[in-house]
Each structure stands twice: as C-alpha cells, then as structure tokens.
Amino acid sequence: MNQLVLVLDFGGQYKELIARRVRENNVLAEIIPGRTPVGEIAKRNPIGIILTGGPDSVYRDGAPRTDKRLFELGVPVLGICYGMQLTAYTLGGSVKPCGKSEYGRVAVECDASSALFSGLAAKQTGLMSHTDQVEVLPDGFAITASTADCPVAAMENAERKLYATQFHPEVENTPNGSLMLRNFLYGVCGAAGDYNITDYHARMVREVRERVGDKRVLLGLSGGVDSSVCAALLAEAVPGRLHCVFVDHGLMRRDEGDEVEAAFSKRSLHFIRVNAEKRFLAKLRGVSEPEKKRKIIGEEFVRVFEDEAERLRRGYGEISFLAQGTIYPDVVESGANASATIKSHHNVGGLPEDMKFEGVVEPLRGLFKDEVRALGRELGLPRALVGRQPFPGPGLAVRVIGAVTREKLGMLRAADAIFREEMRRSRAKADQYFAVLTDTRSVGVVGDFRTHGLTVALRAVKTTDFMTCEYVPLPHSLLGRTASRICGEVRGVSRVVYDVTGKPPATIEWE
Ligand code: XMP
C-alpha cells in the first residue's frame, strides 16, 4: 500500500494539477469531494490532506464547509486559496472581501524559517486569484508570507502541522510552487516517496477489473497516444473481453487509416476498422459552426460504436462498456467541472446523453499528456507510438475552417503531407505541427493569370501539457520551401501563412 495524500475538492480549477504535482513528487494523491465525512477520511489513513481552492466565499450561506475535526486528526493539512480561507473560518479566524483583489503573478515575501518555504529565498513569486482574504488569524497561527495587498498570504500552526497559502503553489506561475509542495510532503507529512508510474499502472489495472467485472468493453481506438495507451492498459486488465474499434471517419491525414490498421492488426488485440467516411461527411454537410461540427462528430462516433456493439453482441454477447482514452485537458476544456467551455473535445462534450452502453470507462481521465506517455512507456509500447504528436478526434474537420467538403479535405491532406515531409527533412522540432485550410480567399498570380484561391495556415507549437503553448520560430527557409511547394502542388491554394500565436490567447487547433 502506498502512502496517500487526500485532495479535498472545493470546486477549484486546479485540483487535478495539485494531484499531479503530488504525484510528480512520488506520492500517491487522490481527489475526493470536499464534503466527505471526517470519519471516512480518517479511515483512509492519509499522511496529508490538501484543501483546494474554490469559487465561493466561505462566509456566504451555502458555501462549502468542512468539519472542525478535520484539523484535529493529527494529519498535516495544507489549505490553498479557498482552502486557506476555509481553514481560518473553521478554526475561529475571519475572512473578508479584499480591499483590492489580486490576479496574476504577484511578489510574495516569505518567512524562510517556515517548513513550507525551507530552502527558498524570502522573495518569491506566487499566482494569486482571489477576492476574499484572511483578516484575523485563528488562535495559534502565525503569518508566514505577505504581499503588498494581502497581509496574510500564508499562515501556519507548525505545532499542529496546519499550513495554508493564499497563492497557488500548484501552478507554473508560482515558479517554486512545486518545491513548496515538496516541502509540505517531505518536510511536514514525512512522505517516503514510494509512488511511481508502475504503481499507477497496477492501480489502474485493478480499478478497471473491479469496474468491468466479467463484462465486455468496446474501446474507441484512434491510433493516437491516448487511445493506444488505453488499449494496452485494457488489454492487460480485461484480456479477451476487449474489442478495439477504429473508426475511419474520412477525416484522417494522408495514409493514416492504413497506418493505424497496420500498427494494430499485428497486435494481439481484437481490432476492427470501420470505414465510416460517408456517414460522417453526410452529417457534416453544410455545417460551419465549430462547436456544432464537434458535437456532430462526437455523437456520430458513439452511433458507430453502438452499431458495432450491436454487431459484436451477436457473436460475443452483451457489450456493456464504452472505453475512451480521455485525458484531463480534454475534460477541463470541454467545460466539465463547472469550468467554462473552450471547445467540446469530441470524447467529452460531444457524447450524446442517450448512449446504449451501461457505462463509460476512462482510465486516463486524471492524467496529463506527459504522464500518459510515461504510462505508455511503462506498458512497453513502442517509442514511436508513445512519442506521436496528438491528432484531434474530429480530425481534419476542425482544420478545414467552415463547411467540410471532400474537395477541401483533399486540398488540406495534400498541404499537410507536404508540411510534414518538409518538417521531417529539416529535422525541425515541434511538439505538434499541422496545416489548416482557412476559408479566406486571396488574389494570386500564376504565369499570366489571376488566381483567387484559398489560404493555408501552418502551425507548429512547443508545449508539454497542451493546455498552453508557444509557437515555434521555424526557419524561414523551411517555411518558404513549404509555401512554394504547397502553392505549386495543391490546386486551389494561392497563399500560405504561418501562425505565430501562443495559447492563450489562441488555442492550438483553429476550431
Ligand atoms: P486546443 O485546440 O484545445 O488543443 O488548444 C489542445 C490539444 O488537444 C487536441 N484536441 C483534441 N483532441 N479531441 C481530441 O482527442 C478533440 O476534440 C480535440 N480538440 C483538440 C489538439 O490537437 C491539441 O493537441
């Protein structure tokens, strides 16, 4: 049994990030609802408890609260943002609206003698995002950090091992935040660092077995990193009861469908390829609104899975579960967990409500991309597969801006293949790169003739978690060569531009 840290969720955006930072520090973390009774928490025997942030005001009627006895378990507690305010409020301190709200990176003056800031300089930077703050400390607490506008930016009762920060140590915008969490885990909770990806692997296999029992699972396999890792995990957890369905929706890049088939039909998996181009293109005909396209594709995927399940039932009996390689960023951006919808990833926001499956199995739902890759290596998947750049489930439909037609897909496929070939040749490095067929026409000239063709945009980004990115400054020679090849070889394209926007403010895909 691994040592365990429980993350109590009070509705903050960063709960998965907190769990991830704890895992990165080799300690197992599990997120549970903030209202979980203290008795149940004690039974889990955690070495530490972290209270997340949240959007509410702790003094407001109906705000999520916690039991005073949580702080009397003798287990170290770290309250973050709302978690800090909740700590103060519950233990007899007071919280009030800020005179001046703080948002963004703020200079924090820390007391380096605090166990939380051990080994760090007194001047730190922290990400602040709050409209309330602690006014009066609970008995026995001392201030351990402050900012220009927030006198209590951190507080602690070292004797009782209760710590709290108003800023967010879990985000990259708090550059030493991971070290602060490490200090809490190792310096306060006495963590042994006994958790690693091998444990995650074993735990996921166990959990899938418990959930699925002796039933059958249909996995949507796209050949991308996430669904391939998911396939390997499920093949180990429920061997013989896994059916992997690869839907070729006609929105793949050049030769991709055949490559996926070649890679998977050799493995000891039940692999089924469904050629569904016609039905997807029929559903997408004339649709140009990006969210609508995504929803249509998400739903159509499930309809194909249902049809396949129906077919499989005749030979194998009931197919109870639909499995997907959904990962955490898909969940956040699709507006689950009360965050704003940025775009509906096909496998989350696009799922219809009336699915004919008993349940959905998503073992990677809590992981970030780099963790999925680590799990893939742990599962023994080939490096080339684990290192593949992501390709969105809705495929080229979100890279043809506006309504999708066969002709436009053909143009984009050709342009994208040229860009990929030139990237490979030049050995330029990017975590994801692709071409987009925009709906902007511009005037060009070929020989003595005027053209009025479409514009292709090229995009290449650098990122680790795909939640944010920077554009890659590709060499001009590479961009120039690619542009002239695309205009020369792809009929109907008369201009090529390079996208130099980061995320935020843009997203990686154009739709
Ligand atoms: P965005 O465009 O949201 O993309 O910045 C972040 C990462 O996710 C990929 N992406 C998707 N992947 N289904 C997926 O499986 C989707 O609907 C989807 N939309 C975007 C995108 O390629 C990038 O790597």
Side-chain angles (χ1 to χ4, degrees):
M1 279 285 274
N2 293 108
Q3 290 183 329
L4 172 71
V5 164
L6 288 174
V7 178
L8 264 61
D9 173 20
F10 291 99
Q13 295 179 53
Y14 299 130
K15 63 176 189 233
E16 287 290 352
L17 209 47
I18 297 173
R20 178 221 170 104
R21 295 278 175 250
V22 176
R23 291 196 295 266
E24 253 173 27
N25 278 302
N26 298 107
V27 179
L28 172 63
E30 190 178 319
I31 301 167
I32 59 171
R35 58 172 189 282
T36 309
V38 176
E40 267 180 47
I41 293 174
K43 268 195 227 145
R44 304 288 308 273
N45 204 16
I47 61 162
I49 296 169
I50 300 181
L51 314 178
T52 73
D56 228 307
S57 279
V58 73
Y59 45 78
R60 199 189 60 80
D61 274 351
R65 299 271 162 71
T66 191
D67 191 324
K68 195 166 176 217
R69 287 171 302 167
L70 181 77
F71 301 97
E72 292 162 0
L73 291 173
V75 178
V77 178
L78 172 64
I80 297 174
C81 194
Y82 183 84
M84 161 150 149
Q85 295 160 15
L86 188 63
T87 305
Y89 182 89
T90 313
L91 297 178
S94 76
V95 174
K96 61 161 196 190
C98 303
K100 190 170 163 207
S101 303
E102 289 176 303
Y103 292 104
R105 289 167 67 112
V106 174
V108 186
E109 190 73 33
C110 298
D111 175 354
S113 70
S114 159
L116 208 56
F117 306 125
S118 170
L120 298 176
K123 288 196 186 325
Q124 294 292 323
T125 300
L127 181 90
M128 284 286 200
S129 174
H130 65 126
T131 49
D132 286 338
Q133 64 187 33
V134 172
E135 181 184 32
V136 178
L137 299 185
D139 279 349
F141 276 74
I143 297 177
T144 53
S146 51
T147 73
D149 294 306
C150 180
V152 192
M155 63 175 197
E156 71 185 38
N157 180 333
E159 204 180 310
R160 293 175 63 191
K161 300 193 173 180
L162 305 179
Y163 294 79
T165 63
Q166 181 57 62
F167 55 89
H168 290 269
E170 69 276 24
V171 301
E172 279 178 6
N173 276 324
T174 300
N176 286 321
S178 190
L179 287 174
M180 295 172 195
L181 286 171
R182 191 173 179 83
N183 281 337
F184 176 69
L185 296 169
Y186 287 85
V188 179
C189 304
D194 62 359
Y195 177 74
N196 54 40
I197 198 78
T198 313
D199 297 305
Y200 189 89
H201 172 188
R203 195 158 70 93
M204 279 304 118
V205 168
R206 210 167 46 239
E207 284 184 17
V208 168
R209 280 189 187 145
E210 274 165 23
R211 173 99 197 279
V212 172
D214 56 3
K215 297 180 174 163
R216 290 188 171 271
V217 183
L218 184 154
L219 168 73
L221 179 68
S222 69
V225 181
D226 306 341
S227 62
S228 302
V229 170
C230 196
L233 188 73
L234 293 176
E236 184 180 329
V238 288
R241 278 177 287 122
L242 174 67
H243 308 276
C244 299
V245 176
F246 164 55
V247 179
D248 186 345
H249 47 16
L251 304 165
M252 307 296 261
R253 288 167 292 191
R254 183 177 280 173
D255 300 330
E256 199 165 23
D258 297 340
E259 283 166 14
V260 173
E261 182 167 357
F264 283 91
S265 43
K266 279 191 248 125
R267 298 180 154 259
S268 57
L269 285 171
H270 183 201
F271 176 89
I272 304 157
R273 174 175 180 168
V274 183
N275 291 317
E277 180 187 27
K278 262 199 187 141
R279 59 192 278 186
F280 274 86
L281 292 193
K283 285 268 153 82
L284 286 169
R285 189 170 302 133
V287 181
S288 53
E289 210 277 306
E291 271 299 285
K292 213 161 163 197
K293 283 191 199 171
R294 287 175 164 275
K295 297 248 160 148
I296 288 173
I297 294 168
E299 163 149 13
E300 202 53 22
F301 263 116
V302 175
R303 299 301 171 221
V304 174
F305 295 146
E306 285 173 349
D307 292 350
E308 275 315 293
E310 196 51 51
R311 220 177 45 75
L312 287 164
R313 269 177 199 121
R314 285 180 227 132
Y316 297 92
E318 190 59 35
I319 312 287
S320 307
F321 292 97
L322 173 65
Q324 307 196 106
T326 312
I327 68 170
Y328 186 60
D330 305 342
V331 180
V332 196
E333 302 208 335
S334 299
N337 310 327
S339 341
T341 303
I342 309 297
K343 56 180 75 173
S344 299
H345 283 224
H346 71 291
N347 45 358
V348 185
L351 287 185
E353 278 172 12
D354 59 339
M355 273 191 308
K356 293 185 197 137
F357 289 97
E358 184 182 316
V360 178
V361 175
E362 296 177 318
L364 313 181
R365 203 176 163 95
L367 295 187
F368 290 77
K369 196 84 183 184
D370 45 335
E371 294 179 302
V372 174
R373 294 197 207 274
L375 181 60
R377 288 192 289 273
E378 160 75 21
L379 282 158
L381 289 177
R383 273 195 173 270
L385 205 161
V386 171
R388 269 189 82 176
Q389 55 173 296
F391 182 65
L396 301 184
V398 291
R399 294 182 182 170
V400 167
I401 307 307
V404 178
T405 62
R406 241 195 207 97
E407 188 199 356
K408 285 190 169 183
L409 284 170
M411 288 163 70
L412 177 56
R413 249 180 223 121
D416 187 69
I418 292 171
F419 185 33
R420 284 194 286 147
E421 193 182 312
E422 291 299 333
M423 283 291 286
R424 261 194 313 274
R425 263 195 208 147
S426 80
R427 295 171 193 256
K429 287 224 172 348
D431 297 304
Q432 189 173 9
Y433 52 88
F434 52 88
V436 174
L437 184 68
T438 76
D439 54 356
T440 297
R441 285 188 185 274
S442 73
V443 174
V445 55
V446 175
D448 294 330
F449 295 98
R450 174 188 192 271
T451 56
H452 193 222
L454 287 170
T455 308
V456 163
L458 306 177
R459 183 134 174 82
V461 299
K462 185 173 155 10
T463 175
T464 50
D465 56 13
F466 297 84
M467 301 277 282
T468 58
C469 79
E470 289 167 37
Y471 83 92
V472 178
L474 290 181
H476 279 279
S477 53
L478 162 64
L479 290 171
R481 206 168 39 246
T482 308
S484 70
R485 275 195 64 195
I486 291 176
C487 289
E489 295 172 35
V490 186
R491 253 181 98 97
V493 175
S494 58
R495 198 172 290 260
V496 175
V497 296
Y498 187 52
D499 180 351
V500 293
T501 336
K503 170 183 179 178
T507 54
I508 295 178
E509 303 290 343
W510 276 38
E511 286 196 334

